[in-house]
Amino acid sequence: MLNNARIEEVLSTLDRGLPQALDRLLAFLRIPSISTDPAHMGDVRDAAEWLCAELAGLGFEASVRDTPGHPMVVAHSPKGQRRALLFYGHYDVQPVDPLNLWDRPPFEPEIEDTPDGKVIRGRGAADDKGQLMTFIEAFRAWKEVHGSLPTDLVLLFEGEEESGSPSLRPFLRENAEELRAGIAMICDTGMYSDGRPAITTQLRGLYGEEIVIRAADRDLHSGSFGGLAANPIQILVDALATIKDESGRITLPGFYAGVEELTNELRADWDDLGFDAAEFLSRVGLSQPIGEKGRTGLEMVWNRPTFEINGLSGGYTGEGFKTVLPAEARAKVSFRLTGSQDPEKIRETFRAHIRAAIPADCSVEFHAHGASPASRMDISDAAFAAAKAALSDEWERDAAYIGAGGSIPIAGDFKEILGMDSMLVGFGRDDDRIHSPNEKYDLQSFAKGARSWARILAALS
Amino acid sequence: MLNNARIEEVLSTLDRGLPQALDRLLAFLRIPSISTDPAHMGDVRDAAEWLCAELAGLGFEASVRDTPGHPMVVAHSPKGQRRALLFYGHYDVQPVDPLNLWDRPPFEPEIEDTPDGKVIRGRGAADDKGQLMTFIEAFRAWKEVHGSLPTDLVLLFEGEEESGSPSLRPFLRENAEELRAGIAMICDTGMYSDGRPAITTQLRGLYGEEIVIRAADRDLHSGSFGGLAANPIQILVDALATIKDESGRITLPGFYAGVEELTNELRADWDDLGFDAAEFLSRVGLSQPIGEKGRTGLEMVWNRPTFEINGLSGGYTGEGFKTVLPAEARAKVSFRLTGSQDPEKIRETFRAHIRAAIPADCSVEFHAHGASPASRMDISDAAFAAAKAALSDEWERDAAYIGAGGSIPIAGDFKEILGMDSMLVGFGRDDDRIHSPNEKYDLQSFAKGARSWARILAALS
């Protein structure tokens, strides 16, 4: 353990250097690294190069590593032997549409004053560029105080997190020796809703699917064909309407195999968080939880699987009206998974359900979009207690063990491929509007996030 | 009744005058009277003026009548007292995009030789300029033989049929006395699919509706909110999936009030047409009728009401995947109506059904798109038998009473506002490509169409 005096030096170094740290973050945010959009392929690489140069400037042995998709950035602290900690983040960002709902251009970020304090506004501010820069700034201050980086770090950044991480698993397999560490620190999550620092110890998995149903070989006039010819939108609607029953349960056979009830301990911890579902929903203009009957709000978002229609399109959707029977209809759907639910088995069951709804003269095509199981961490590992204490010190509030409704497949991949547990510490807020217009990251999250990492580094050194 | 000798004279006059008649039609087709496009406002008026001059030249009392939209053309045979017949057509045409799919400029019409005979190629050839010129040419030949026009005609031409006829109903109301006749002859339909002459005696009505369901006040991340927050796409899908049951019947309470079974006579006529639903569907790549169980194919498209989803959109529909719970979802739906179904009552029932599916914290907005009842003609009127016989004579095939799955709201408007029945006689073919690139009208349809009208005029005089 380092002595407290040096930790305080690192923290004051971070405080002094905040304006420069923000300049760096804004420069990073200006790179429109949208990984799902082929038009931004060059920008995604630019973001990787920017990150690599930044890390090399800090003395890391850093490189941009090609994959069949967008590149990885890998960095090591010099002469490291025992790799205690792997840090992970992603430098790609979500698409920005609908662009007209942004109050400012998404890739012209700025520090804004708001009634709740200063925020960093722009696509990627919270997800995940702002978050990954918290630990990079902690390393920078650490080096400034100690004259060198911690000797036991490996850093991994990917550019495909927002597009299903197709290259990640092969990359982990091919570079397992280089990347394996004692534990993975993943900075892509949030604090508990009221700003309480938190370590996320379980994550839902995700299985996504795109469905294309085709009927006639051209758009038809509903006057001539309506009532006689198949309408692919109706077929799609009928098939999707039967996935959930009245009580909110998913009806696919075998779907709940592997779903686990909360331990009494975690149920007590979660109850202690005082989550108010109606209040939580009221922040986005809603009031009623729509999940399975008989479940608490936190169970609904953290510990229960879901089915969601994320996108649907078919027929005429412009101004006015067109009495068309379209040739095709499309949907993008996803399942959030918990416990040990098997995404591949669920994919087969779901596809069979849809196929059974397709008339013989129509066709269906599927496009898989990711399939990752849920993750649950072993919180009996001493590192969890140490990090929890460090977070509590920085924020002057008891840090909490929480769940996350979203998927961070990387945690499952680290476990499966590298045999590593992950610790998920992040400083996002519920109102960060990630994946939505006007994404932001609180300046406090950024500043105290970096300080939190300095404390955790000290506690785990 | 006129004697047969004079009819034969009129017919031979038409045959002799065909080249000149085609020249007139081509001149008319050269006027790009696209009513939906404000850039063509002057062209639409030019077409009205052209038509008015043509009718005045024949001795009609013709005038271009202004409306808040495009003008009407009204003409009377001189000194007419009893107005036995009103003839209706529309001189506006559909837009021409996609222009690159036309084999020749849409407004440079020409007579083309094809393997199936000569055709008049150009926008409006079949819909409706070529059709309305069939009766005008019949009037011309009539006058040439008899020295005067029939004394009991009123003609009405509109220039907004392809853009929803916004001025029509007010115009009918304001000019009811002038326009009311014994029966309306509407020339805007086709022959039966195999080219058999036909009188369309029933048309389905149409009620269209756009639905906008709104949930959260922004797009949400399905990781953070999935399982807890309402998804407007799911709400829409669930609501639309319950409109029809397994057997294809519409479940809205009271929906079938006013729907009538075919008379035995009409059922026999339709059965005699030998409609093969599988063959009809095979032309568009399908094979299975999807309508109500226990109904024939012609019943499905002509005599049964339908519910169709014409467009649906919500969430992320671009490339790749986005795990979003969208803020809103939209659908455009329509019902085809038969018998005496009341569109306004069905609108109320449908809206109530959708409203009942909306959670208390979500909202729904409706936008009405048209509501016209079905039309059924009284075929016991002697005029129908007379016209049917005249058509059978001209085409040397038994003319058929048929239905139409689409809506021609003018027939309902004549009934409702002027108290007149309509007789729908037209010479279009299924392959005329109306509303599509490369529209055409068979030269045979044009020539024998004019001869058909001459015979019908004689039979009804």
Side-chain angles (χ1 to χ4, degrees):
Chain A
M1 293 287 280
L2 295 162
N3 67 49
N4 284 335
R6 306 302 300 273
I7 299 171
E8 290 304 327
E9 271 181 72
V10 175
L11 297 177
S12 59
T13 300
L14 279 169
D15 293 345
R16 267 198 320 275
L18 183 59
Q20 291 74 30
L22 285 171
D23 286 346
R24 284 186 287 269
L25 175 56
L26 293 183
F28 193 21
L29 292 174
R30 280 184 206 107
I31 308 172
S33 50
I34 303 172
S35 59
T36 57
D37 185 346
H40 285 280
M41 199 161 71
D43 297 316
V44 179
R45 180 165 288 270
D46 286 349
E49 302 281 2
W50 185 94
L51 201 51
C52 185
E54 200 59 30
L55 295 167
L58 286 178
F60 282 99
E61 291 163 2
S63 55
V64 172
R65 310 273 280 266
D66 286 336
T67 75
H70 299 298
M72 303 282 171
V73 177
V74 178
H76 307 270
S77 45
K79 304 191 187 66
Q81 301 296 325
R82 190 184 64 101
R83 296 195 183 95
L85 302 177
L86 177 146
F87 279 81
Y88 166 88
H90 66 89
Y91 64 85
D92 64 323
V93 300
Q94 276 276 318
V96 295
D97 53 274
L99 197 56
N100 62 313
L101 296 185
W102 284 80
D103 294 332
R104 51 177 301 105
F107 296 110
E108 297 177 20
E110 215 162 46
I111 313 299
E112 281 182 23
D113 277 312
T114 78
D116 299 322
K118 285 182 191 295
V119 304
I120 304 148
R121 180 88 62 195
R123 174 55 91 224
D127 183 20
D128 181 42
K129 288 173 174 172
Q131 299 240 65
L132 72 85
M133 289 302 286
T134 57
F135 59 74
I136 292 178
E137 295 301 339
F139 300 151
R140 184 190 311 276
W142 184 279
K143 188 186 177 193
E144 197 170 321
V145 170
H146 297 93
S148 66
L149 292 166
T151 59
D152 51 3
L153 304 180
V154 54
L155 278 51
L156 171 66
F157 302 94
E158 75 165 313
E160 299 180 327
E161 202 272 346
E162 303 294 5
S163 50
S165 300
S167 309
L168 185 71
R169 291 167 61 88
F171 190 83
L172 293 183
R173 274 196 209 94
E174 284 157 26
N175 300 278
E177 247 347 278
E178 178 183 2
L179 297 170
R180 190 174 288 121
I183 193 167
M185 313 299 285
I186 300 177
C187 191
D188 195 18
T189 51
M191 298 194 284
Y192 182 62
S193 60
D194 61 354
R196 193 168 166 185
I199 302 175
T200 303
T201 67
Q202 63 178 52
L203 300 157
R204 291 195 290 193
L206 179 70
Y207 145 49
E209 190 85 77
E210 186 168 357
I211 308 158
V212 186
I213 296 180
R214 295 195 172 87
D217 58 15
R218 69 200 74 171
D219 285 358
L220 304 177
H221 189 290
S222 80
S224 314
F225 287 91
L228 189 66
N231 181 337
I233 310 181
Q234 185 75 52
I235 295 166
L236 188 59
V237 158
D238 289 345
L240 295 180
T242 54
I243 304 286
K244 285 203 272 194
D245 68 16
E246 294 273 308
S247 70
R249 275 182 73 88
I250 290 154
T251 59
L252 297 178
F255 179 80
Y256 285 93
V259 175
E260 286 170 19
E261 295 297 329
L262 287 180
T263 61
N264 287 338
E265 188 191 342
L266 215 48
R267 183 178 295 278
D269 275 12
W270 288 10
D271 285 348
D272 184 54
L273 291 170
F275 178 73
D276 179 342
E279 187 279 326
F280 179 73
L281 287 169
S282 74
R283 298 181 215 167
V284 295
L286 295 172
S287 61
Q288 298 186 331
I290 53 84
E292 289 169 89
K293 295 204 190 337
R295 299 288 172 182
T296 67
L298 286 185
E299 279 185 284
M300 288 180 192
V301 285
W302 289 350
N303 204 50
R304 298 298 297 175
T306 68
F307 167 70
E308 297 293 353
I309 306 169
N310 304 114
L312 207 157
S313 66
Y316 183 70
T317 58
E319 279 298 301
F321 210 86
K322 205 165 156 180
T323 50
V324 67
L325 297 188
E328 68 172 42
R330 291 165 178 266
K332 296 178 203 262
V333 305
S334 57
F335 292 87
R336 297 279 171 187
L337 307 177
T338 66
S340 60
Q341 281 184 293
D342 180 344
E344 294 301 336
K345 270 191 190 155
I346 290 168
R347 181 192 304 282
E348 283 319 303
T349 314
F350 175 72
R351 288 185 173 185
H353 173 89
I354 298 293
R355 279 198 194 97
I358 308 297
D361 57 354
C362 299
S363 69
V364 61
E365 192 179 291
F366 296 100
H367 300 274
H369 284 281
S372 60
S375 299
R376 284 158 306 159
M377 308 309 156
D378 175 13
I379 57 179
S380 68
D381 183 311
F384 279 84
K388 197 179 188 200
L391 285 168
S392 301
D393 285 350
E394 172 60 28
W395 294 82
E396 296 172 6
R397 297 186 67 178
D398 270 352
Y401 288 144
I402 63 173
S407 305
I408 306 192
I410 182 79
D413 295 337
F414 283 154
K415 184 73 181 178
E416 184 191 333
I417 299 171
L418 304 182
M420 295 165 62
D421 267 339
S422 293
M423 186 184 299
L424 297 126
V425 176
F427 309 98
R429 310 265 185 163
D430 288 340
D431 64 354
D432 281 347
R433 295 174 174 265
I434 63 169
H435 295 209
S436 295
N438 296 324
E439 180 177 349
K440 62 89 177 161
Y441 194 44
D442 286 4
L443 186 60
Q444 189 200 43
S445 290
F446 183 67
K448 289 179 79 71
R451 288 173 53 100
S452 297
W453 285 118
R455 289 184 191 270
I456 291 171
L457 277 177
L460 297 182
S461 282
Chain B
M1 291 287 279
L2 295 164
N3 67 50
N4 284 335
R6 308 302 301 270
I7 298 171
E8 291 305 326
E9 273 180 72
V10 174
L11 297 178
S12 59
T13 300
L14 279 170
D15 294 345
R16 268 196 322 274
L18 183 59
Q20 291 74 31
L22 284 171
D23 286 346
R24 285 187 286 270
L25 174 55
L26 294 184
F28 193 21
L29 292 174
R30 280 185 205 105
I31 308 171
S33 50
I34 303 172
S35 59
T36 57
D37 185 346
H40 286 280
M41 200 160 72
D43 297 316
V44 178
R45 179 165 289 270
D46 287 349
E49 301 283 1
W50 185 94
L51 201 51
C52 185
E54 199 61 28
L55 295 166
L58 285 179
F60 282 99
E61 291 164 2
S63 56
V64 171
R65 310 275 279 266
D66 285 336
T67 75
H70 299 297
M72 303 281 171
V73 178
V74 178
H76 307 270
S77 44
K79 305 192 188 68
Q81 301 295 324
R82 190 183 63 100
R83 294 195 185 95
L85 303 177
L86 178 147
F87 279 81
Y88 165 89
H90 65 89
Y91 65 83
D92 63 323
V93 300
Q94 276 275 318
V96 294
D97 52 279
L99 197 55
N100 62 311
L101 295 185
W102 285 81
D103 293 333
R104 52 176 302 104
F107 296 109
E108 297 177 19
E110 215 161 48
I111 313 299
E112 280 181 24
D113 276 312
T114 78
D116 299 322
K118 284 183 192 295
V119 304
I120 304 148
R121 180 88 62 194
R123 174 55 89 224
D127 183 19
D128 183 44
K129 288 173 174 171
Q131 299 239 67
L132 72 86
M133 289 302 286
T134 57
F135 59 74
I136 291 179
E137 295 301 340
F139 301 150
R140 183 189 314 276
W142 185 279
K143 188 185 177 195
E144 198 170 321
V145 170
H146 296 92
S148 65
L149 291 167
T151 58
D152 50 4
L153 303 181
V154 54
L155 279 50
L156 172 66
F157 301 94
E158 76 165 311
E160 299 180 328
E161 202 272 347
E162 303 294 5
S163 51
S165 299
S167 309
L168 184 71
R169 290 168 61 88
F171 190 84
L172 293 184
R173 272 196 211 94
E174 283 157 28
N175 300 278
E177 245 350 275
E178 179 183 2
L179 297 171
R180 190 174 290 122
I183 192 166
M185 313 299 285
I186 301 177
C187 192
D188 195 17
T189 51
M191 298 194 282
Y192 182 63
S193 59
D194 62 353
R196 192 166 166 185
I199 302 175
T200 303
T201 66
Q202 60 179 55
L203 299 158
R204 290 195 291 193
L206 179 70
Y207 145 49
E209 189 85 77
E210 186 168 359
I211 309 158
V212 186
I213 296 181
R214 296 195 172 87
D217 58 15
R218 70 201 72 174
D219 285 358
L220 304 177
H221 188 291
S222 79
S224 314
F225 288 89
L228 190 66
N231 181 337
I233 309 181
Q234 185 76 53
I235 295 166
L236 188 59
V237 158
D238 289 345
L240 296 180
T242 54
I243 304 286
K244 285 202 272 194
D245 68 15
E246 294 273 309
S247 68
R249 274 182 73 88
I250 290 154
T251 60
L252 297 178
F255 179 80
Y256 286 93
V259 175
E260 286 169 20
E261 294 297 328
L262 287 180
T263 60
N264 287 338
E265 187 192 344
L266 214 48
R267 182 177 297 277
D269 275 12
W270 289 9
D271 285 348
D272 185 54
L273 291 171
F275 178 73
D276 180 342
E279 187 279 326
F280 181 73
L281 287 170
S282 73
R283 299 180 213 167
V284 296
L286 294 171
S287 62
Q288 297 187 332
I290 53 84
E292 289 169 88
K293 292 201 192 340
R295 299 289 172 182
T296 67
L298 286 185
E299 278 185 285
M300 289 180 191
V301 286
W302 289 350
N303 203 50
R304 299 298 297 175
T306 67
F307 167 70
E308 296 293 353
I309 307 170
N310 305 113
L312 206 157
S313 64
Y316 183 70
T317 58
E319 279 296 303
F321 211 85
K322 203 165 157 180
T323 51
V324 66
L325 297 187
E328 67 173 44
R330 291 166 177 265
K332 295 179 203 263
V333 305
S334 57
F335 292 87
R336 296 278 172 186
L337 308 177
T338 67
S340 60
Q341 282 183 293
D342 179 344
E344 293 302 336
K345 270 192 190 153
I346 289 168
R347 181 191 305 282
E348 283 320 302
T349 313
F350 175 72
R351 288 185 173 185
H353 173 90
I354 299 292
R355 280 198 194 97
I358 308 297
D361 57 354
C362 299
S363 69
V364 62
E365 192 179 293
F366 296 99
H367 300 274
H369 284 281
S372 59
S375 299
R376 282 161 308 158
M377 309 312 154
D378 175 12
I379 57 178
S380 69
D381 183 313
F384 278 83
K388 197 180 188 199
L391 285 169
S392 302
D393 286 349
E394 172 59 29
W395 294 83
E396 296 171 5
R397 295 186 67 179
D398 269 352
Y401 288 143
I402 63 173
S407 306
I408 304 188
I410 181 78
D413 295 337
F414 283 152
K415 183 73 182 178
E416 184 191 333
I417 299 171
L418 304 182
M420 296 164 61
D421 269 338
S422 293
M423 186 184 300
L424 298 125
V425 177
F427 308 97
R429 311 264 185 165
D430 288 342
D431 63 355
D432 280 348
R433 297 176 171 266
I434 63 168
H435 296 209
S436 296
N438 296 324
E439 179 177 349
K440 62 91 176 160
Y441 194 46
D442 286 5
L443 184 60
Q444 189 199 44
S445 290
F446 182 68
K448 288 177 80 71
R451 289 173 53 100
S452 298
W453 285 118
R455 289 184 191 270
I456 292 171
L457 278 177
L460 297 182
S461 281

